[in-house]
Structures are given as structure tokens and as C-alpha cells.
Amino acid sequence: METFTVEAVVLKTDDFGDANRVVTLFTKEYGKLEANAYGCRRSRSPLSGAMQMFNHISAQITRGTKVDTIRDADILNFYDALTKDLERLAYASLLFEIVNRMTFPRQQELETFELLTKSLPVLSTRNPKIAALIGACQFMETSGVQLNFSRCVHCRKEIVGDAAISLLDGGAVCLDCIDAAQDTRPYPEALRKTFETMLGFNWRNDIKLTFNTRQLNAAENFFIEYVQSILGTGLKSVQFIRDFIN
Ligand SMILES: [Zn+2]
């Protein structure tokens, strides 16, 4: 049977049986992969410790006819703060859930892999809500379903000052086109600048990360509504954030 090595982040885990886990990896080489990690919940297992969400690992996987199996794994980086701090856990889960729900298996997406590995240290040390929103915003940009935040989706003019925005039409609407647009809502200049700053963020850990609280909350609510409208269902991590964080 073919065995191959991947570098990956652990996107999701689901326990089954006495000590096993189905692990969803986002790999550098093949994009999203699911594999079984048998016995990994036993402390003596060579996989013990590595098969945890948010770990950055290197793993050996054997291809199976129905399911792949993780044989061995080494932890390259782990982020303790993400499992110990409820707010960090909640927002890191939000970013990881969005990536998991909006990617297809076995499609290599190097940009997404790099986004996940770069966002983890920022999520574990800086404001996790801001880090998760930046990550989600940048991920949507690479996934090809991003809203147009800076140009009017009707006349393509660059947006200046306050305008409107429409989820149905796919982004910003200038005041001249507002009558032609469907289901618009206000899109203040400050909210546009918040999105533009997030899209331009370069993930250096020393960079300034401050946003006006009101605009940040508006960006969060707006963005989550947009993602959920694409998915057609709610995100579990959003429920968790609403129940325990906000
Ligand atoms: Zn327009």
C-alpha cells in the first residue's frame, strides 16, 4: 500500500470507537484530507498528542481503498493558548470551520495552507476575534466567492465615502446604482476601510492590530451572515461564540 508524507494543520477531529479519531487535515501537498488515526487517544500511542485540532504536523499516511490511515506524526508547532483560552478557542474554531466547510477534498490550495499556518501564532497571541476575521476575509478572497468591498458591483466605480452593500448582488453598491440593487443595507466608509485593512494584512506578528469596536462588531456580524448565507446553514462555532463569548 502506498504511504506518503504530508505537512498539515489539523482542521477538525471526530472521536470514534474506544480510542480512535477521524482527523481532517489541511495539507500543503493535497489540500484537505481525511484519515483515521487508530488508537491515538491512548497515551502510549505514537500518535498521542499530535492528533489535536490546530496542531501543525508532519504525518505519514497510508492510502486505503476506503479510508486513509495516519501511521505516524510529528508535531512541528502547537498552540497551547488556543485550547486553554475560551475566546481564542472559539475564534480559531470559527476560522477553521469556515475553511473546512468551504473547501473540497484533495484540491491543493497552497495559499489556504499558508494562511492557516500564519494565522495560528497570531490567533494564539493577539486579539483572536480580529485575527479570525482577517483570516476568514482573506480565505474568502482566495476561494473566489468574496464580496466586492471596494468597487460598485453594478457600475464598477471605486466606492468613495458612504455607500450601500448587498449580499445578493455580491458587494458594494454606489449611491448612483442603489435603485438597481437588491436588498441593500448601509455600508459606511469606516466599515469598508475595516474590510480593506483586513484584506491587506500581512500576518507579521508585530503589526498593529487595532480596530474601532463598533466597526469590528459590524464587520463580524456582516461577514458571518454572508458566510452562512453561502453555506445555507449555520456555523457551529458561531453558536458557541454567541453562547459563551459575546
Ligand atoms: Zn455604481
Side-chain angles (χ1 to χ4, degrees):
M1 273 188 286
E2 186 200 349
T3 296
F4 55 101
T5 304
V6 294
E7 184 184 339
V9 292
V10 179
L11 211 49
K12 184 170 181 270
T13 65
D14 291 296
D15 291 351
F16 73 98
D18 282 349
N20 316 318
R21 198 164 263 175
V22 183
V23 182
T24 308
L25 300 173
F26 201 95
T27 72
K28 186 177 184 177
E29 296 82 0
Y30 308 100
K32 188 167 75 174
L33 285 186
E34 211 175 81
N36 287 350
Y38 294 103
C40 71
R41 283 150 58 214
R42 291 197 185 99
S43 56
R44 293 188 314 275
S45 162
L47 298 176
S48 163
M51 301 293 109
Q52 316 270 1
M53 214 169 147
F54 312 122
N55 279 355
H56 179 187
I57 62 170
S58 151
Q60 268 101 56
I61 300 176
T62 300
R63 186 104 60 204
T65 43
K66 288 200 179 117
V67 287
D68 295 346
T69 303
I70 301 177
R71 298 288 170 197
D72 200 7
D74 291 312
I75 299 174
L76 303 176
N77 284 299
F78 70 99
Y79 302 93
D80 230 10
L82 295 183
T83 49
K84 290 190 172 143
D85 175 326
L86 209 57
E87 190 180 3
R88 293 190 191 286
L89 171 68
Y91 279 102
S93 300
L94 174 67
L95 175 59
F96 274 49
E97 188 181 4
I98 290 173
V99 171
N100 185 36
R101 293 280 304 275
M102 298 207 47
T103 47
F104 295 98
R106 293 183 185 275
Q107 290 187 3
Q108 189 192 26
E109 290 174 43
L110 212 49
E111 263 179 307
T112 301
F113 174 77
E114 280 172 4
L115 177 69
L116 292 171
T117 52
K118 284 182 195 164
S119 68
L120 282 165
V122 180
L123 282 161
S124 69
T125 53
R126 308 290 298 279
N127 181 320
K129 172 163 147 161
I130 296 176
L133 279 176
I134 293 175
C137 233
Q138 293 191 354
F139 166 70
M140 296 292 275
E141 192 79 6
T142 62
S143 74
V145 290
Q146 182 67 287
L147 291 166
N148 199 331
F149 291 120
S150 302
R151 283 183 182 275
C152 172
V153 291
H154 287 269
C155 70
R156 315 302 300 169
K157 249 194 327 214
E158 201 169 315
I159 301 287
V160 182
D162 295 340
I165 196 159
S166 163
L167 294 183
L168 286 175
D169 292 2
V173 177
C174 78
L175 298 178
D176 294 334
C177 295
I178 201 159
D179 290 340
Q182 330 169 61
D183 193 28
T184 55
R185 61 186 81 189
Y187 185 41
E189 181 173 21
L191 182 57
R192 175 168 54 79
K193 295 234 155 107
T194 302
F195 283 129
E196 287 171 350
T197 307
M198 287 181 170
L199 287 174
F201 181 72
N202 72 2
W203 295 105
R204 287 211 334 267
N205 211 7
D206 56 347
I207 212 159
K208 210 170 133 217
L209 262 185
T210 45
F211 289 93
N212 168 300
T213 308
R214 198 163 138 236
Q215 292 315 327
L216 187 64
N217 289 336
E220 179 183 17
N221 291 333
F222 183 83
F223 199 74
I224 284 172
E225 187 186 339
Y226 176 55
V227 173
Q228 294 191 141
S229 76
I230 295 176
L231 291 170
T233 55
L235 292 159
K236 275 191 210 158
S237 49
V238 169
Q239 198 51 52
F240 184 79
I241 288 167
R242 291 193 176 140
D243 289 347
F244 297 105
I245 310 295
N246 288 343

